[in-house]
Amino acid sequence: MAENFDVIVIGSGPGGYVCAIRAAQLGLKVACVEKRATLGGTCLNIGCIPSKALLQSSENFHQMSHDMKDHGIMIGEVKLDLARMQARKGEVVTANTKGVEFLFKKNKITWIKGAAAFTGPNTIAVEGKDYAAKSIVIATGSDSVPLKGVEVDEKRIVTSTGALELDKVPGHMVVIGGGVIGLELGSVWRRLGAEVTVIEFLDRITPGMDNEVSTAFQKVLAKQGFKFMLGHKVTAAAVSDKGVTLSVEPAKGGEAEQIKADIVLLSIGRYAYTEGLNLAAAGVETDERGRVKTDAHFATNVPGVYAIGDVIAGPMLAHKAEDEGVAVAERLAGQAGHVNYDAIPSVVYTWPEVAAVGKTEEELKAAGVSYVVGKFPFTANGRARAMGATDGFVKVLSEKGTDRLLGAHILGPDAGTLIAELTTAIEFGASAEDVGRICHAHPTLSEAVKEAALAADGRALHI
């Protein structure tokens, strides 16, 4: 006989575990199915958390190796202990996954260990045992998109998973794909001494980012030593004991060339992961890209079955999944949870960082919206000068006539933190003037946000 719950969440990534916790807080009997040995999904185990640990460590190494003399700090030869750096990353991951396990125990959430498969609209089987629930939430996340002719072995040709586990710094790393994950992990190994070449099919990096910001971002990365082959595609990869030889040709057609690499990082995107779920047994529909179809309230076509996070349409961001998990849990408890997709920030954790919320200029132009641009460079910010971190700028977009904030984009130090203020402003329908009139502490990087908001009205003070 099946064990019964109010809610079963399939997947314990940021969307799944947050959904389970919130549902339990609201008094529901909750179980969460996870096939990994640890909770936290891709994000905590092989994604967001380990990558940020290595990004921080590699940035520290780079600063010690290159930037301290300007501060009057004289350091001898800086040596890399990659094994210790990787061990520290593992410790950070363990602390986070154990933290989720503690929260499950605290909130009396049942962890069902194994892979779930639907056996009906409100029933699943895990490791030969049956479970039933009034509501089932699919939160199975995503996986790396493969590329024909480039076979991943996680040794020479790696996804983000393998790129986080390298035991030595490659002489030359080729990153296939100029998106966020590839640039972040490319930054890790570039800082540690690797040559990094990025091959991108499109004629720009970071597709979907505000074009002005993307162009400036590429220049900053080039200054750091990145090499770019834009408008090119990889058609084949040959692996040997000495490395990988890639066949690369222009995306629009042309003569192929050979590029040699020690390590190739394949990072061309991610796809919704539903393998093994047996969605057909429940009658759950998917779209042309394999994503679970949902309505505005995350409900599938099957009553009682919901889906959130990377497995449905929308940006593949951990915090987007978290907010959707909370919204679903609250709706299942009779409340009115919702997500404002116009106020979901995104961050690229390179140095400097890139962060954005709301619309890009290109999106506003395509929609025929009249807007005003306010910009302020970090070269004119006192704190940025003191830090020696003056690359980049803050850019705000407000609606012409009403001055309502429509979008904000930051390339610069701690952009991921600075974007929170502008996300809050957009969430509450603020104008650029509202942000510009707020008193910001001096000297702080956040003053650049204030100045950009003032610039939308042509009255920036420090430029």
Side-chain angles (χ1 to χ4, degrees):
M1 188 170 177
E3 187 175 355
N4 282 275
F5 295 88
D6 293 319
V7 182
I8 294 176
V9 182
I10 305 175
S12 73
Y17 84 72
V18 168
C19 180
I21 290 170
R22 185 66 184 128
Q25 286 177 343
L26 293 168
L28 301 176
K29 183 183 178 184
V30 183
C32 184
V33 185
E34 176 53 59
K35 65 182 180 181
R36 291 182 191 274
T38 52
L39 297 170
T42 295
C43 180
L44 270 66
N45 287 277
I46 56 170
C48 321
I49 299 303
S51 67
K52 301 318 166 280
L54 285 185
L55 279 159
Q56 184 63 56
S57 294
S58 64
E59 176 61 21
N60 290 347
F61 176 80
H62 184 270
Q63 285 185 331
M64 293 299 104
S65 304
H66 297 87
D67 300 336
M68 292 296 101
K69 288 183 181 179
D70 287 344
H71 292 272
I73 303 171
M74 309 308 291
I75 299 174
E77 182 184 0
V78 178
K79 295 182 180 180
L80 174 64
D81 184 346
L82 183 56
R84 178 63 200 125
M85 188 178 288
Q86 290 284 24
R88 177 187 176 276
K89 177 206 71 183
E91 291 160 7
V92 171
V93 169
T94 298
N96 278 272
T97 57
K98 288 293 184 184
V100 176
E101 192 172 340
F102 165 77
L103 291 171
F104 270 30
K105 291 176 182 176
K106 175 185 175 183
N107 289 283
K108 298 180 174 56
I109 297 165
T110 300
W111 175 6
I112 302 173
K113 299 181 180 182
F118 279 93
T119 54
N122 68 335
T123 56
I124 60 170
V126 182
E127 300 293 321
K129 188 173 179 180
D130 295 325
Y131 301 89
K134 298 173 186 175
S135 302
I136 296 176
V137 181
I138 303 168
T140 46
S142 61
D143 203 353
S144 297
V145 172
L147 179 62
K148 184 179 179 181
V150 182
E151 187 173 344
V152 171
D153 59 13
E154 297 296 8
K155 294 178 181 178
R156 289 287 191 181
I157 301 177
V158 300
T159 63
S160 56
T161 302
L164 290 166
E165 297 295 335
L166 300 181
D167 59 6
K168 67 177 182 179
V169 179
H172 183 207
M173 170 179 275
V174 171
V175 179
I176 304 176
V180 174
I181 295 172
L183 296 177
E184 286 185 353
L185 292 175
S187 288
V188 167
W189 297 107
R190 175 68 196 126
R191 292 169 186 164
L192 298 180
E195 272 188 58
V196 176
T197 301
V198 177
I199 301 173
E200 168 57 46
F201 184 83
L202 301 176
D203 60 1
R204 55 169 292 182
I205 63 169
T206 53
M209 184 182 288
D210 184 273
N211 194 53
E212 181 183 19
V213 177
S214 178
T215 300
F217 182 35
Q218 183 181 332
K219 290 178 180 177
V220 169
L221 292 176
K223 190 167 65 173
Q224 294 175 3
F226 275 75
K227 296 177 182 176
F228 294 93
M229 292 184 67
L230 304 181
H232 282 75
K233 61 182 178 181
V234 176
T235 56
V239 179
S240 70
D241 292 340
K242 295 181 180 179
V244 184
T245 301
L246 297 174
S247 296
V248 183
E249 59 186 64
K252 295 180 180 178
E255 190 173 337
E257 61 179 297
Q258 307 296 305
I259 296 178
K260 295 186 181 297
D262 298 289
I263 297 292
V264 172
L265 167 56
L266 178 61
S267 183
I268 59 172
R270 297 182 67 82
Y271 69 92
Y273 186 83
T274 59
E275 293 171 31
L277 272 180
N278 195 22
L279 294 178
V284 174
E285 293 179 354
T286 57
D287 66 15
E288 70 286 351
R289 293 174 59 180
R291 301 173 300 193
V292 177
K293 285 185 178 180
T294 58
D295 64 13
H297 303 304
F298 315 105
T300 69
N301 62 299
V302 178
V305 179
Y306 302 81
I308 58 171
D310 286 5
V311 81
I312 69 172
M316 290 184 169
L317 297 169
H319 43 282
K320 174 255 197 189
E322 287 188 19
D323 278 11
E324 289 175 341
V326 170
V328 166
E330 291 177 349
R331 294 192 69 83
L332 295 180
Q335 298 183 7
H338 76 286
V339 177
N340 179 2
Y341 290 99
D342 288 328
I344 295 197
S346 60
V347 184
V348 186
Y349 294 93
T350 49
W351 189 265
E353 294 177 345
V354 187
V357 65
K359 304 298 184 184
T360 65
E361 278 204 69
E362 292 69 39
E363 288 172 330
L364 294 177
K365 287 175 183 175
V369 176
S370 296
Y371 63 93
V372 175
V373 179
K375 285 197 300 183
F376 190 81
F378 282 103
T379 52
N381 176 267
R383 183 62 187 274
R385 285 176 181 156
M387 292 170 62
T390 55
D391 282 327
F393 54 89
V394 179
K395 174 180 180 179
V396 300
L397 305 171
S398 63
E399 188 175 34
K400 195 170 185 178
T402 68
D403 195 37
R404 181 171 62 96
L405 278 171
L406 301 174
H409 307 270
I410 305 174
L411 167 63
D414 291 332
T417 300
L418 295 175
I419 202 67
E421 174 184 357
L422 291 160
T423 302
T424 303
I426 288 176
E427 176 68 33
F428 286 93
S431 65
E433 182 184 9
D434 289 331
V435 175
R437 286 189 177 277
I438 295 170
C439 184
H440 289 66
H442 174 78
T444 61
L445 296 172
S446 68
E447 289 176 287
V449 172
K450 174 188 178 82
E451 291 274 7
L454 290 173
D457 191 36
R459 56 191 182 97
L461 296 169
H462 288 89
I463 191 170

